Amino acid sequence: MATATSRSGSISVETTEEGLPIGITVEREELRRAPGELAREILRLCRQSANRAGLARRAELEAAGLSSEMLALTGLPKPEDVAREELVEESDYDVEPQSWLRSV
């Protein structure tokens, strides 16, 4: 399991390696967004969280001594692939928070 959070911190998603959400937290102000936008953001965070969970699993398998050939067969993401994807998503981030201030 892993977690991904929106840039503003107002949406947080925890998923399995497959991207199935286990928990979703959405702050009240995000509920004012268009439903399609909110859904796209949640799905983006699910993908990001799944990639991070896959990286954690890959690290566990590497630590257990699985060869690089066997790791390749698992289909788990490589660190450089996840980093590249997160950079692309960050540059494509089209929803700016309405305020950088958050209630504490």
Side-chain angles (χ1 to χ4, degrees):
M1 290 185 281
T3 302
T5 304
S6 65
R7 184 188 300 181
S8 67
S10 57
I11 303 172
S12 180
V13 175
E14 183 179 12
T15 68
T16 65
E17 290 172 31
E18 294 81 22
L20 298 173
I22 296 169
I24 299 174
T25 303
V26 179
E27 290 186 6
R28 183 174 294 256
E29 67 269 6
E30 290 294 334
L31 297 176
R32 293 186 197 125
R33 290 170 62 173
E37 278 182 26
L38 182 57
R40 278 189 297 280
E41 179 66 2
I42 291 171
L43 289 174
R44 183 187 74 78
L45 291 171
C46 284
R47 284 190 304 274
Q48 189 176 71
S49 179
N51 283 336
R52 291 176 181 178
L55 279 180
R57 175 71 66 204
R58 185 181 190 92
E60 288 173 7
L61 294 173
E62 277 181 317
L66 208 62
S67 70
S68 58
E69 294 83 18
M70 294 300 288
L71 280 171
L73 293 173
T74 65
L76 293 170
K78 294 184 264 182
E80 57 272 13
D81 297 334
V82 172
R84 183 175 39 259
E85 188 171 322
E86 287 190 15
L87 281 173
V88 167
E89 285 180 353
E90 185 72 19
S91 67
D92 290 343
Y93 198 90
D94 62 347
V95 177
E96 294 295 328
Q98 294 181 5
S99 170
W100 291 100
L101 302 174
R102 294 181 49 208
S103 58
V104 181

